[in-house]
Amino acid sequence: GEAPATTADYGLSRREFEVLALLVAGHSNGGIADALFISPRTAASHVGHILAKLGVESRAAAVARAIRDGLA
């Protein structure tokens, strides 16, 4: 089979990868913000970038893609 995708395949930054892991764990933007010591607005911005880079429409789809591709 194909090798699993890596964060580099999607162009995710290290910070975006951290945010994605928290998304997979079920955190809200507020929870992500608290965990990473950033503002909820910044957390939301990271989530938006992740959705765009993964080519998905929703947080749930981003989580599914992350799990499918072995990013999480």
Side-chain angles (χ1 to χ4, degrees):
E2 289 189 29
T6 65
T7 52
D9 293 332
Y10 290 111
L12 294 177
S13 69
R14 182 180 298 267
R15 178 59 102 186
E16 287 164 350
F17 184 64
E18 292 171 341
V19 172
L20 180 58
L22 290 166
L23 271 181
V24 170
H27 289 278
S28 64
N29 286 352
I32 291 167
D34 290 345
L36 298 179
F37 305 102
I38 58 179
S39 73
R41 178 183 290 247
T42 299
S45 176
H46 286 313
V47 170
H49 294 151
I50 290 165
L51 297 186
K53 288 181 178 182
L54 296 184
V56 295
E57 299 287 327
S58 69
R59 299 163 74 96
V63 168
R65 172 71 46 85
I67 293 169
R68 185 195 77 189
D69 288 353
L71 301 179

